[in-house]
Every structure is written in structure tokens, then in C-alpha cells.
Amino acid sequence: MRNKRGAPQRGRRVRTRLRTRLRGALRWPRNRYTTAALILVTVLSLAGLKLVYLQAFQAEALSERAERQRETVIEIPAKRGDIVDRNGTQLAFSVETRTLQVNLRAMREQWAEHDRTNPESDKDFEARIAEISRYMAKKLPELTTEEDLLARFRKPGPFTFLVDNVEPSVANEITNEFPEIAQEQRALREYPGGRLASNIVGFANWRMDSPDRSKHNIHGLIGLESARDNSLVGRPGRRLVDTSEGDDIPIPGTAKELRSAVSGSDLELTIDSDVQYELQRRLADYVTRTNANGGSAVIMDAETGEVYALANDATFDPDNITAASEKELNNQAVTTPFEPGSVNKVITAAAALEYGVTTPRSRIMVPGQITVADRTINDAWPHGTLPFTTTGVFAKSSNVGTLKLAQRVGEDRWLDIAQKFGLGERTGIGLPGESAGRVPPRNQWSGSTFGNLPIGQGLSMTVVQLAGMYQAIANGGERVQPRIVSATVREDGTRVPEPAPDRVRVVSERTADQVLKMLRATTQDAPGYQNDGTAPPAAIEGYQIAGKTGTAQQINPVTGSYSQSKYNITFAGVLPADDPRFVVAIRLDAPDTTLPLGHSAGPLFHDIAAYLAQRYQIPLSDKRAPVVPLILD
């Protein structure tokens, strides 16, 4: 019975368990779908919230970031400062120009799209560049040709420059006519005087060799353009431009200025361009007439040390600098030292008077030659022992008399005065490449060294140093550092003078006055050869002129010994001696001494000084210089 009753009960239990499992199985898919739906809703909700946040709070920042991805900062070149002479005459200035360029990649893509959308059109890339090239060649006949432009358009690269140095107005016409052509602001340096003062002013051109784009501008290569480049160049501005696909090629018409450029300072020089012209012209002519290898000359203010003119016989044309020779580019008046010869005797004259070993009228017995250590030194003309005055020793340029006086001064005192005159050190004139010349160090002197130095051999100096020595004598014994730049002038017109020049007391005012008076006898033309100076042709009617001639043997570069045929011919003079206004120093490199003018630079000094007297209306001297005895009876 139990068995029969138990079977139905087990069946019911089984069916119950099956129904329970079935209900669970049916509920499980519903739970899984619900969970997935919840996850999906959550994700979508978070994405929506993020989208709302970005649109509401970060839209502007993201937009700016996107813009930056296709914007480039372009440097705006500053206007370079002018270089002017003491009267404001322009020697160098800049003119604004444009360089025309084209984004070839963008242009090709534009015409490729045009071909796809307009297959029947007769216009394509080639037709367009032909049209542009014809137009530009007609507008710019001096700068380019149609053939050159076509060749540039057909370059395989993404970009090309088309034409440089285009006037802004013409560039605007071209870019307005053809929007695919872009223009870049540049500048061109102009030198209105050509070769005038080119060795001083130098040369500058547009430079793009620096990886720093802010330095892409006109920069100096030589002369003051190089030495004062930082002052002249100014500070560039900045411009924001859209670029094609993030590269550096600007899209025309998208520029926005961020910072204005600040122009460079003008450079005001001490030179007078008219005087500079005359000095260059007269020097070059004299070099030609004497068949010299070259020459240099300096005109300096006797009181201030300001340089009114500085010239070499050879100068370069800044409009054709690639054709310039090494000599034309070299400013020899400051870079090239030479042995000066007897113009250097002014050191002995000043030292002898300063230390009281003689007076201008003292009698000195001078033989025809003198022995110093192992050297025998002669005068330029043969003579027996003669009774010179101290003035006569220098006016007639006696080597022997000079050495006798130098021996009285002594080696150390002589060297001390020579160094105060500035020998062996740069003057600091402010021109690049200046040489210090050379005076042998005291510890390297041999027994015969002092037989050379007092007569201007065995040492070297530049023409600027030579002028500075005589400026010290003309200025009462005080040497003033020579200058060629007087001031800079800022964009707002503020004038900033150069620092005050250094001053060195060389000798007393009394000594300088005595030397100056003695040197008047150099131009003395008196009855009888014994009382003639070495340069009567340097004299100027109505003015007292002080000066000194010089003749120095050049070193033979092959043998290393002194040449018997090539000389440095020098002259240094003061106009006028009774009230000094100008100092003129001249050097001729190996003139033909057999020619009438080849043995002296005195006639050239005369012409230069006469011009200065006329130009500046220098008053005549109150009286003629007295004729003084040079060799006593």
C-alpha cells in the first residue's frame, strides 16, 4: 500500500522541483537583459554628460587649440637704422621690399580638384602659371623673366620663392590679381654714395642663415654695418598667420599682428661726406701719379680726435660687392701697420724737450753717421760734422742728430713717451679689424734696437695711430682717443652720444707747443739749402703749417731684410700750426721714388689742407712763421 501511495508523492516532488527550476531559468534571461540595459544606459549617460561639459565649458579652449594647429607665428623684420655723416647726409639706409612666393602644393591640389570637377574646362595648372608668369614679367622687367618664373612654378617641391626686392605697391597689385601669390616683407640696403666711405660704412644684406627666424633681417658683413649691427638691426615684431596643413607656408590674407617691430637706431658718424669724397679722390689720384702700390690717409680734428675723413686709394662698390678684391675690402688705414720712418721722430723731439736734454735752439754737432752697437746709421745725404740746431735736426730729418738726442733721453724714458703716444696699442676708433701695430717689448731689445726705433724703423703703426700722435702735439700734449661714431639716434628721436673718449697726457703743454713750433720749419723755404726744411711744397700761403716727412725702407718678404728700392713715404701735418684745427696723416705704399712726386707726400698734404682751409673758412694765420736757423754757420 505504501508503495502505491509513495509513488504519486515522489512524482509530485519531482514536478515541483522542475517547476522551480523552470521558473529560475525563465527569470535569468530577464535579469541578464536588465543588467546589460542598465550598463548601456549608464555609459550613454556618461557620454552625454561629457559632451555637455565639453560644449558648455571647453568649447572655446578646444576651438583655440584646433586653430593653433594650423597657425604659425611669423617674425616681422624691424627697419634697420640709417648711417649718416656729421651733417645728416645718408650714407646707408633701408627700403622696404617684398619677396613674392607661392605654395606650389596647395596650388597643384586646387587645380587637380578643378580638373576633377570641371573635366571640360580649358583652364588648368599650366594655363594658370603661364598667365601669372606673363603678368609678373611685364610688371617686373628688371627683376625677372617669364621663362624664369615658369621654371620656378614647375619645381617639384611644395614651395618656391619667385622674385626678390619687389616694390610693395607692385607686390600688392600682383597679389590682388592672383591671390595664390603671397608676399613676404623684406628690406634692401641702399648706399647712395656708392664707393664713398664704403671702407668705413661697410656692407649689409638680407640674411636667412640663422635657424632663429627672428634674426632673419638685414645684417652687416663688414665695416660699421658689422661692428654696430646690434644697434642698427632693431627688434622684430610678430605676426600670426594661418598655414596650410600645419606647415610654415602662410595662407594669403590671414595675418594678424601680435607685436609691432621696433626700428633700429640710426648711426651718426663724425665724418663729413664732402671731405671724405675729396680725400678719396685726391689720394687715389696721387697714388696713380706716383705709381704707388697704394695709400691711406686720415683727417682728424686736432682738439676732439673726431675723424672727418678716412680713406684708402682702393674702395669697393657696395652695389657689386662680389666683384670686390681683397684689397678693396680691406680698410688699410686701420688694419695694416707699416714702418713709418722719420714721422716717428716726433717722439724723440717731444721726449728731449720734456726731459730737458735740449732746447729748440740748442746747438748739436751732428756727424754724417753714427754707430749703435753693430749698426752704422747714416743721414739721407752725405755730410761731415755740422752744427745743427735741435729744430734743424727734425726739420731736416737728420737720423744721426735724432739718435744723439735719443741717447740723451735714454731707452726707458723714450719708450715711456712712445707708449703714451699710443704706439703698440689699438686706438679704439671703433672700426673692425684695427691693428695695434708693434713696438718690440723692452726685454727683447738688442744692442742695435735703439738705433732703429727713434728713426721709425723696427716698429710699426697704422695711419690712424700716426694721426693720433700728431693730434696729441696739436692738442697741447693731450692725446684724445679717435672717434668715427658720434652718437646713435633711437626711433623716437632720442640722441645718445657715444661715451666720452679716453684722454692721455703725453707731454706738457709747453713741450707740445715747442714741438709744434719746431715742426713749422719742415715747410720752411729759406735762402740757402742749409735752412730749407724737407717739405716746402707742403706749405700753404697765408697759414702756418707744422709737419714732418718720413721715408722708411720696407721689408723684402723674400729675403726678410730691408729693401733698397721700396719705401713707405709718409707725412703728418697740422693746419694751422698757430691755432690747430686739423691733423692730416698720409702713407704711400712703395711709390716710384724716381718720379717728381714719388719721394714725398708733402704736395698731397698741401692740396688736402688747402681744401680744408677753404671749406671751413679757417682764418689766416696772424703772421708768417718765422724763418729759423737749421744748420748754424
Side-chain angles (χ1 to χ4, degrees):
M1 292 292 292
R2 283 195 303 269
N3 289 339
K4 289 182 180 180
R5 288 197 296 267
Q9 290 177 352
R10 283 196 301 273
R12 284 195 297 269
R13 285 197 297 271
V14 170
R15 286 193 297 272
T16 301
R17 284 197 297 270
L18 289 172
R19 282 196 298 269
T20 301
R21 289 176 181 174
L22 181 59
R23 290 192 194 102
L26 291 173
R27 282 199 302 269
W28 168 242
R30 289 200 296 270
N31 291 340
R32 184 172 57 186
Y33 295 147
T34 301
T35 302
L38 287 173
I39 292 173
L40 182 58
V41 169
T42 301
V43 170
L44 291 175
S45 298
L46 290 174
L49 289 172
K50 181 66 174 179
L51 183 59
V52 170
Y53 172 75
L54 292 176
Q55 290 179 338
F57 300 103
Q58 288 195 312
E60 184 175 350
L62 292 172
S63 176
E64 289 178 359
R65 185 181 302 175
E67 285 296 313
R68 283 197 298 272
Q69 291 176 351
R70 63 185 185 91
E71 289 180 336
T72 301
V73 174
I74 300 295
E75 301 292 334
I76 307 171
K79 178 183 178 297
R80 188 174 181 84
D82 298 346
I83 299 178
V84 302
D85 79 346
R86 66 186 305 114
N87 302 311
T89 301
Q90 287 182 316
L91 299 171
F93 63 91
S94 300
V95 293
E96 187 176 331
T97 66
R98 297 289 188 268
T99 290
L100 298 181
Q101 57 198 38
V102 64
N103 186 331
L104 290 174
R105 180 173 57 197
M107 190 175 177
R108 291 192 191 101
E109 290 174 353
Q110 175 188 349
W111 283 100
E113 178 64 22
H114 177 272
D115 291 344
R116 283 192 296 270
T117 57
N118 300 277
E120 303 301 323
S121 174
D122 59 352
K123 290 187 176 181
D124 57 12
F125 177 79
E126 281 294 321
R128 184 62 169 177
I129 65 173
E131 180 185 5
I132 297 173
S133 298
R134 282 193 300 272
Y135 185 89
M136 289 181 60
K138 185 177 180 180
K139 285 287 184 180
L140 305 169
E142 302 297 324
L143 298 177
T144 189
T145 64
E146 186 174 344
E147 291 74 18
D148 180 68
L149 289 168
L150 284 170
R152 291 174 183 271
F153 275 114
R154 289 167 179 158
K155 286 174 58 176
F159 168 86
T160 188
F161 291 110
L162 295 172
V163 192
D164 292 327
N165 300 327
V166 180
E167 290 184 16
S169 60
V170 179
N172 290 337
E173 289 182 33
I174 293 170
T175 55
N176 289 337
E177 184 72 19
F178 301 101
E180 56 265 64
I181 305 301
Q183 53 179 294
E184 181 178 306
Q185 182 177 335
R186 293 195 184 177
L188 179 68
R189 201 64 166 165
E190 294 281 2
Y191 299 94
R195 295 179 183 270
L196 178 68
S198 62
N199 294 125
I200 299 171
V201 174
F203 177 79
N205 64 359
W206 186 269
R207 305 286 296 281
M208 297 176 64
D209 46 356
S210 172
D212 183 353
R213 292 180 65 109
S214 68
K215 291 182 170 57
H216 292 183
N217 204 330
I218 295 176
H219 289 286
L221 294 176
I222 55 176
L224 288 173
E225 290 274 35
S226 173
R228 303 301 289 264
D229 191 65
N230 288 341
S231 185
L232 289 162
V233 75
R235 188 191 73 184
R238 308 188 80 191
R239 178 183 294 132
L240 194 66
V241 298
D242 289 349
T243 55
S244 174
E245 298 182 8
D247 60 23
D248 289 336
I249 305 172
I251 298 173
T254 62
K256 292 175 285 188
E257 189 169 297
L258 300 177
R259 183 184 70 195
S260 298
V262 177
S263 298
S265 296
D266 293 343
L267 209 60
E268 183 182 292
L269 307 188
T270 61
I271 70 168
D272 182 323
S273 57
D274 289 341
V275 177
Q276 178 71 27
Y277 172 81
E278 284 297 324
L279 184 63
Q280 286 185 205
R281 183 181 69 82
R282 294 174 188 274
L283 175 65
D285 178 67
Y286 205 83
V287 165
T288 299
R289 291 165 65 191
T290 59
N291 199 28
N293 289 340
S296 300
V298 173
I299 299 173
M300 186 180 292
D301 188 289
E303 181 178 354
T304 67
E306 292 182 347
V307 174
Y308 275 60
L310 181 151
N312 305 289
D313 68 294
T315 60
F316 67 89
D317 179 1
D319 292 329
N320 190 22
I321 194 169
T322 56
S325 67
E326 184 177 346
K327 179 184 177 182
E328 289 174 328
L329 293 172
N330 183 12
N331 191 358
Q332 295 186 7
V334 295
T335 66
T336 307
F338 58 92
E339 295 198 10
S342 294
V343 286
N344 197 57
K345 291 175 181 175
V346 70
I347 297 174
T348 302
L353 294 173
E354 183 77 356
Y355 291 117
V357 303
T358 191
T359 67
R361 291 175 175 265
S362 293
R363 178 186 177 116
I364 302 172
M365 300 305 294
V366 179
Q369 61 183 35
I370 188 173
T371 300
V372 179
D374 60 347
R375 288 199 61 217
T376 298
I377 297 97
N378 302 294
D379 274 340
W381 74 102
H383 64 81
T385 300
L386 294 173
F388 279 74
T389 63
T390 300
T391 297
V393 166
F394 298 105
K396 295 192 76 65
S397 202
S398 168
N399 292 333
V400 177
T402 300
L403 289 173
K404 286 175 69 72
L405 287 170
Q407 289 172 341
R408 294 184 192 179
V409 171
E411 295 178 354
D412 292 334
R413 293 197 299 186
W414 185 94
L415 180 60
D416 179 63
I417 293 293
Q419 290 173 336
K420 288 179 178 177
F421 270 113
L423 267 67
E425 65 179 35
R426 294 179 180 86
T427 67
I429 189 174
L431 289 169
E434 183 181 11
S435 171
R438 184 177 185 274
V439 178
R442 183 68 178 86
N443 59 9
Q444 295 181 13
W445 288 17
S446 66
S448 61
T449 299
F450 206 52
N452 278 338
L453 300 184
I455 60 175
Q457 298 272 193
L459 54 77
S460 63
M461 65 180 66
T462 65
V463 176
V464 171
Q465 287 175 312
L466 175 58
M469 292 171 62
Y470 281 79
Q471 180 274 326
I473 294 299
N475 190 43
E478 185 179 53
R479 180 168 60 88
V480 181
Q481 180 184 20
R483 293 187 297 163
I484 206 156
V485 177
S486 60
T488 55
V489 182
R490 295 173 181 162
E491 184 181 25
D492 62 3
T494 303
R495 186 177 186 274
V496 183
E498 291 290 287
D502 294 335
R503 296 174 178 270
V504 176
R505 171 57 63 182
V506 181
V507 292
S508 68
E509 188 172 349
R510 180 175 183 273
T511 294
D513 182 62
Q514 288 179 317
V515 172
L516 199 59
K517 287 178 178 177
M518 286 199 307
L519 294 182
R520 293 179 306 186
T522 298
T523 62
Q524 180 172 290
D525 186 6
Y529 172 76
Q530 290 194 147
N531 289 317
D532 279 352
T534 55
I540 301 175
E541 185 67 30
Y543 293 96
Q544 293 187 18
I545 298 297
K548 186 73 192 75
T549 56
T551 303
Q553 292 172 287
Q554 293 189 0
I555 299 292
N556 186 322
V558 177
T559 64
S561 59
Y562 283 111
S563 170
Q564 300 302 311
S565 60
K566 292 187 176 182
Y567 301 88
N568 292 314
I569 300 298
T570 53
F571 190 93
V574 179
L575 165 75
D578 52 331
D579 186 15
R581 176 73 187 278
F582 291 109
V583 172
V584 180
I586 303 167
R587 180 239 177 169
L588 300 175
D589 178 9
D592 184 348
T593 54
T594 65
L595 296 174
L597 296 175
H599 64 279
S600 175
L604 177 57
F605 169 85
H606 169 276
D607 293 346
I608 294 168
Y611 168 77
L612 292 171
Q614 182 274 329
R615 174 168 176 76
Y616 292 104
Q617 296 295 294
I618 298 175
L620 297 173
S621 298
D622 291 336
K623 55 184 178 181
R624 296 171 63 92
V627 175
V628 296
L630 306 182
I631 300 176
L632 300 172
D633 294 331

